[in-house]
Amino acid sequence: MSGEKAGETSAYGLRFTVHESGSESVRSFAEDVRRDLALTPKQIQSKYLYDALGSCLFEAISRLPWYRITRAEGRLLSRWAAQVVAPLTDPLTLVELGCGSGEKIAMLAEALRSRRRPVSVHLIDISPTALEQSERTLGRFEHISVVGHRATYEEGLRRAAAGRGRGTMFVLFLGSNIGNFDPPASHEFLSEIRRALRPRDALLLGADLVKPERELQAAYDDPLGVTAAFNKNLLVRINRELDGNFDLHGFDHRAIWNRAESRVEMHLVSCRAQQVAIPSAGCDVCFEAGEFIWTESSYKYTPEQLLAMGTAAGFRSLEQWIESDARFALTLFLAA
Ligand code: AVJ
C-alpha cells in the first residue's frame, strides 16, 4: 500500500476528503490480469469494470428498463428509510461500500435530516468517478460530513472503522454488490464487516432475488447493448492501461444464467482463434474460437438465504423489506 492522498476539497467546502491508497494502481491491475488470464477458464475480476467510462456505463445500465435492481432498491429505500434508521442511535457514522452515484445514501441522509444531529459518512469506492458523483449528490446536505475512500471494500472498511467516532456505525452494502462474491467469499466478507462492528452497530444489505431466467437474460444482455459495452470496456481498459492489443470486434458479450450456482455469469467470448499481447502485464494470451473470459458473477438469492447469510456471519436480522415486482430485498441486521 502506498501513501495516502488526503485533503482534496470540493466546491462545497472542506467537508469532503478523499483518501487514496495504492492498491488500485496500474501495477496491481497488471499483476491481476496476468495471473487471472492464466487460469482456466480465463478470468478478470469484476472490480476492474469500473474505470471512468465503466462507471458511466453502469449508471446507464441502472436506467435501462430491463435492469430493475437500482429502481427496485430505490423504491424500497424511499418508502422505508424512516423505518430503516429508526433503530439506530445517535451519533451516527454511515459507511457505504460501493457508493456509486451516492443516490442511495442520499435517501437515508434525507430521512436523518429531521433528527437535527450531525452525521458522518464514509464512502468507499474504487472508482474516482463514483466518489466525485457522490460528493455532488451529498453536497446539498448541511448535516453530513463526508470522507471518500478510493479503495477496495476491505481496505475502505478498515479505514472507516479506524476513523469512526463514538456512537453507531451503520454499514450499507447495497445494489446487490454482494452478488459479485461467491458463497465462501460472501460469508468471509460479511464476517469481516461484522468484525469491524461493535454490538448495536448495523448493516443494511440490498440483494437481488432469484427470478425467471428470461428477466435475468434481459437484465444482463440488454437489447440496447449497454451491458455488452460495459463488459467489453474491460478490454478497452486493458488496451489503454496495459498497452494490450485486444481487437474489440474479436469478442462477444454473453450472459448466462447458471441455475445450479444461482448466478448470472458475464463472459467475453472469443469469436475466433487469436493471440493477444499485453506487454505491460508481461503476457501473451492465446484464445481458441469460443473460449471466453469470465468477467463477472451476479449471485441471486432467496429471502431466507439472505437472513441465513447474515446470521451465519454473526448478525441478528431485524427486518426484511421485499420489492415483490422486480424481486429485490433489503435486509436490516444488527451486530448481535
Ligand atoms: C453493480 C455488481 C450489482 O451484478 O447486477 C450490471 C453490475 N453487471 N450489469 C450486477 C452489473 C452487469 C451489478 N452490480
Side-chain angles (χ1 to χ4, degrees), residues 3-11 13-21 135 146-150 159:
E4 105 183 355
K5 186 174 87 187
E8 281 186 6
T9 55
S10 77
L14 299 171
R15 295 174 299 122
F16 194 85
T17 317
V18 174
H19 297 274
E20 239 171 83
S21 65
E135 166 195 11
V146 182
V147 182
H149 303 269
R150 187 190 175 199
R159 284 156 179 263

Side-chain angles (χ1 to χ4, degrees), residues 277-293:
I278 314 174
S280 298
C283 60
D284 286 304
V285 190
C286 287
F287 290 87
E288 291 167 23
E291 192 179 355
F292 64 91
I293 309 173

Side-chain angles (χ1 to χ4, degrees), residues 50 58 61 67 69 175-177 180 220 227 230 266 296 298:
Y50 302 92
F58 177 69
I61 288 172
Y67 188 84
I69 288 183
S176 210
N177 284 337
N180 285 158
Y220 288 88
T227 309
F230 176 63
M266 283 208 315
E296 188 182 49
S298 297

Side-chain angles (χ1 to χ4, degrees), residues 152-205:
T152 58
Y153 296 144
E154 291 82 356
E155 201 173 278
L157 183 64
R158 269 195 298 278
R159 284 156 179 263
R164 75 179 288 185
R166 54 185 193 89
T168 308
M169 188 159 127
F170 184 28
V171 174
L172 312 172
F173 195 26
L174 300 173
S176 210
N177 284 337
I178 191 166
N180 285 158
F181 290 87
D182 64 21
S186 60
H187 172 72
E188 193 32 60
F189 186 57
L190 289 175
S191 305
E192 197 170 324
I193 296 176
R194 176 60 191 88
R195 286 193 295 273
L197 299 183
R198 301 176 189 151
R200 284 190 300 281
D201 287 343
L203 165 69
L204 184 66
L205 183 66

Side-chain angles (χ1 to χ4, degrees), residues 28-38 44 238 242 278 281:
S28 355
F29 185 32
E31 285 165 8
D32 289 346
V33 163
R34 179 189 164 89
R35 188 194 56 234
D36 294 345
L37 287 182
I44 298 176
I238 292 176
L242 305 177
I278 314 174

Side-chain angles (χ1 to χ4, degrees), residues 37 71 82 89 144-146 158 186 199 201 300 305 320-321:
L37 287 182
R71 285 182 304 275
T89 51
I144 65 174
S145 59
V146 182
R158 269 195 298 278
S186 60
D201 287 343
K300 306 300 170 184
Q305 244 172 346
Q320 187 172 58
W321 297 274

Side-chain angles (χ1 to χ4, degrees), residues 268-279:
L268 288 165
V269 188
S270 178
C271 310
R272 49 184 154 81
Q274 57 184 317
Q275 191 171 342
V276 177
I278 314 174

